[in-house]
Every structure is written in C-alpha cells, then in structure tokens.
Amino acid sequence: MKNDNTILITGGAGYIGSHTVVELVKAGYHPIIVDDFRNSNKSVIKGLTELIGESPIFYEIDVCDKIALEELFERYSFKGIIHFAAYKAVGESVAEPLKYYRNNILGLVTICELALKYNVHNFVFSSSCTVYGEPKGLKEVSESTPKSEPNSPYGNTKLIGEQLLSDVQKSNKDFKIINLRYFNPVGAHPSSLIGEFPIGKPNNLLPFVTQTAIGKQDSLLVFGNDYPTKDGTCIRDYIHVCDLAEAHVKAMHFLENKSAECLEAVNIGTGQGTSILEVIHLFEKIAGLKLNWQFADRRNGDVIEIYANAEKANQLLNWGAKYTVADAINDAWNWEKKLNEHV
Ligand code: UD1
C-alpha cells in the first residue's frame, strides 16, 4: 500500500511504543504497529483510537517471525522503522538470559534483514542508558562517556544491538541509524487514555509507587539507603514518556532529511538527577497522601547514580524535555487511578 509517510513500529502497543504512535500521527506519519501483545495490553488500542481519531493499524506478529513480517514489507512501502519490540526486565534477564538474547537480538536481526532487503533505510533503535554501565567519573553522561560493562543480560542485549547496527551500517552505507539511549521513562499520556500496564509485580520504581498508593501493593521497598549520594538512595534521570515519544519523531525526521550515511547515539533524558526519596516526597505532595514505604537491602546490579547530558539531542534533533518529573508523577498517578476505575 502506498503512503509516503508509513512507519513500521515494532512493539507499538507497548508503553513507549503506544505514546510514540500518538506523536507520529500528530506529526503526519502513518504508523503500522507490529506487536504480539505478550508484554502489552489490548486495551491500548481503544485508548489509541480515542487519541488519534481512528483505529490504529496493527498486526499481531512476533518480531522474530520473519515470514509473517515479510508479508508486511511486501504490502507496505515503509519510509522508516522504529524498533521497540524487546524484553526489558533487568532481574528477569539475569534469571533467563537466553530468553533475552533470543527475543532482543533475533528480533533485531530479523528486522534488519528485512530492512536491507526492502531498502528501508531510516532506522531508530530503542537503546538505553544501561549501555554506560556504572559511570566511572562524572555521573552526568554524554554519548562519548566511556562505557563500562552493562550490569545485566538485558543491558548486554542493548549494547550488542548497538554494535550489530554499527556493523550493518558499515557494510551498507545507505542504512541510517539513530540509537536513542533512554534514561528512565515514566508517566503516562496527560489524557490518561494510554499509559503503562505492568504485568504482575512492577519492576520499576514509579509503577510500584502508584500501585502502593492505590493499594495494589502493600509497601514500597526502597532498595538501599547507604549509597554515596545526596540522601543515600540511587539517582536517576526520569523522563516523561511523551517527551521520549516525541524524540522518536524528531529522530525519524532527522534521518529522513539526512542524505549521507548516519550512525548516531543520542541520550534522551532531562539532564536532571532525582533520588528515590525525592520521587517519594514529590509523589506524596502531588497525590496528597502518605506512601507506605520502607528501606530494604540494595538491589543487585543497580547503578548508583546516572543522569543524561542531553546537549546532543538538543543540537542534533532540536529536542528537549518539556515535562518535569512532577508532571510525569502527576500523569502516572492519574493513570493509576483511571486503571483502578475499571477493576
Ligand atoms: C533499569 C535499567 C534501564 C531499563 C529499565 C527498564 C539499568 C541501570 N537500568 O532501570 O536501562 O531501561 O530498567 O525496566 O539497568 N527501586 C526501588 N524499589 C522498587 C523499584 C525500584 O527502590 O520497587 C529503585 C531501584 O533500585 C533504582 C531506582 O528505583 O535505584 C529505579 O529503578 P527502576 O525503575 O527499576 O529503573 P532502573 O533500574 O534505573
């Protein structure tokens, strides 16, 4: 089918993927979602339909299923690909590394093979600040900060993914790639029509905070209180998911306008570090309630402190975060309350 602005978005029903679909439509693109819903929730389609004014086009396909995917490359003429589909739970990846290597690496190989075969040259990859490992010196990392070992198989799949893309780009100079290194995505769409659907017990901080506040979890455990940080708890760069979604649109736009070869890694964060205790206190202030929480032992593999230098995103993509951490917490809380209305 011919639409000059058609973008393939793998994992487009997921947390970051669904918010990116909204931003793509807003910017005049025509997203085609591939998702097998193993880690997403079908009700996202309803929320997306309300937000974009029509039902999104989606195909229930495993990103490793090359035969099924190839049919889509035959049917559509994609201008670019945004590749989200991957597993992302750090702890699970330690317990089941092969599950992560199979899905995250094989999925990427499959998509790249088809991209090359069908001459789809604009490629945005979901990478992560996990590729930096624990920053050795300055906690504010730029793209040129030397990397140390990622702390998990999940992190390794992101680093290998970037290396794989670099090798592919070297042998195919027409292939243009941006690796977006996300810091900590949080929040939900301000409309509360889409957001995150954690399956089982959430691994990430903010869904655990909101689920504790709503009563789905008894108590939040704060992992570690004796780190060498301002208040003893870990520090992260929490970035609103809508800001992150917009970064994908800007990255795609940049690639389209780039005629020569391109391989870039770009940090997507606010540039501001926030401790776990600061998140809790902000949440309590915004929600107007006391959160049930307690300190627990350090979590294995946690980075102590990391936040983005986001200058490159600003200069290269003309992107900068518009939302604050408080906005993100507010939207995450509204989303949690909305989810609870349907229970
Ligand atoms: C990790 C990965 C990141 C990945 C993300 C996806 C690293 C360094 N980072 O982020 O690349 O994209 O997972 O899931 O591997 N915390 C608690 N209690 C909780 C949950 C979390 O105290 O119940 C703490 C953690 O110990 C950490 C902070 O909150 O210090 C943030 O944790 P989390 O939301 O899980 O994200 P990261 O581990 O930073």
Side-chain angles (χ1 to χ4, degrees):
M1 259 167 259
K2 197 85 190 128
N3 179 319
D4 283 346
N5 270 331
T6 305
I7 306 289
L8 173 64
I9 169 160
T10 74
Y15 174 44
I16 306 169
S18 57
H19 290 80
T20 302
V21 166
V22 175
E23 294 302 318
L24 283 169
V25 171
K26 251 199 318 199
Y29 289 103
H30 179 58
I32 305 292
I33 298 171
V34 161
D35 203 302
D36 66 1
F37 295 95
R38 78 178 72 175
N39 227 353
S40 48
N41 188 308
K42 280 218 170 124
S43 64
V44 74
I45 299 297
K46 188 164 170 278
L48 278 177
T49 304
E50 272 195 59
L51 277 167
I52 67 178
E54 60 184 4
S55 182
I57 301 177
F58 70 94
Y59 293 89
E60 208 164 330
I61 293 176
D62 175 350
V63 78
C64 298
D65 183 347
K66 193 170 175 184
I67 294 171
L69 272 180
E70 185 151 11
E71 279 178 30
L72 295 190
F73 279 81
E74 287 284 345
R75 187 172 316 160
Y76 296 98
S77 156
F78 296 122
K79 181 181 237 177
I81 298 170
I82 305 179
H83 180 53
F84 289 106
Y87 289 132
K88 60 152 200 168
V90 174
E92 184 187 54
S93 78
V94 176
E96 297 180 72
L98 290 177
K99 176 173 166 180
Y100 276 69
Y101 284 104
R102 165 164 283 279
N103 192 40
N104 295 9
I105 304 299
L106 190 58
L108 180 58
V109 170
T110 306
I111 281 288
C112 284
E113 283 173 347
L114 291 169
L116 292 183
K117 180 167 174 189
Y118 288 84
N119 293 316
V120 185
H121 291 145
N122 301 318
F123 197 93
V124 179
F125 177 59
S126 267
S127 190
S128 162
C129 70
T130 192
V131 299
Y132 295 109
E134 179 78 54
K136 290 275 189 302
L138 203 61
K139 306 302 177 188
E140 182 193 84
V141 295
S142 75
E143 294 77 0
S144 55
T145 296
K147 301 188 196 83
S148 53
E149 285 266 295
N151 55 357
S152 67
Y154 157 76
N156 287 332
T157 66
K158 291 298 172 189
L159 189 59
I160 294 168
E162 287 200 10
Q163 288 162 344
L164 184 158
L165 287 168
S166 160
D167 288 339
V168 173
Q169 198 275 335
K170 278 185 208 133
S171 65
N172 297 273
K173 296 292 184 196
D174 293 336
F175 202 39
K176 295 177 284 175
I177 299 158
I178 292 190
N179 297 310
L180 292 182
R181 294 180 180 159
Y182 314 155
F183 282 67
N184 286 59
V186 287
H189 196 275
S191 64
S192 297
L193 288 169
I194 55 171
E196 192 171 4
F197 289 96
I199 295 176
K201 235 183 191 187
N203 294 296
N204 297 116
L205 178 65
L206 204 55
F208 215 105
V209 166
T210 58
Q211 286 201 5
T212 305
I214 209 97
K216 285 185 194 159
Q217 308 293 339
D218 292 337
S219 172
L220 168 76
L221 298 180
V222 173
F223 301 131
N225 63 356
D226 56 353
Y227 284 110
T229 58
K230 52 187 162 189
D231 59 19
T233 65
C234 290
I235 291 178
R236 295 288 185 274
D237 185 335
Y238 295 96
I239 171 86
H240 195 294
V241 65
C242 290
D243 276 331
L244 179 55
E246 194 198 18
H248 292 79
V249 176
K250 296 213 162 173
M252 187 52 74
H253 195 66
F254 176 84
L255 289 175
E256 271 176 47
N257 292 318
K258 186 104 183 150
S259 50
E261 56 192 80
C262 175
L263 173 66
E264 300 281 357
V266 184
N267 285 344
I268 303 296
T270 63
Q272 198 200 325
T274 307
S275 75
I276 302 177
L277 291 185
E278 285 171 336
V279 168
I280 292 174
H281 295 144
L282 253 177
F283 176 81
E284 289 182 327
K285 198 166 147 213
I286 288 164
L289 48 79
K290 274 257 148 277
L291 192 73
N292 192 15
W293 67 271
Q294 62 207 72
F295 284 122
D297 288 344
R298 290 179 174 196
R299 185 171 74 174
N300 266 345
D302 260 338
V303 163
I304 302 167
E305 176 168 2
I306 188 165
Y307 52 97
N309 176 319
E311 266 309 296
K312 185 172 173 185
N314 196 278
Q315 279 164 18
L316 200 73
L317 307 180
N318 187 28
W319 175 90
K322 296 188 190 115
Y323 295 92
T324 62
V325 187
D327 295 330
I329 292 174
N330 188 48
D331 290 334
W333 179 228
N334 286 335
W335 168 245
E336 187 66 69
K337 287 189 285 186
K338 170 91 182 292
L339 276 179
N340 216 48
E341 285 169 13
H342 304 293
V343 175

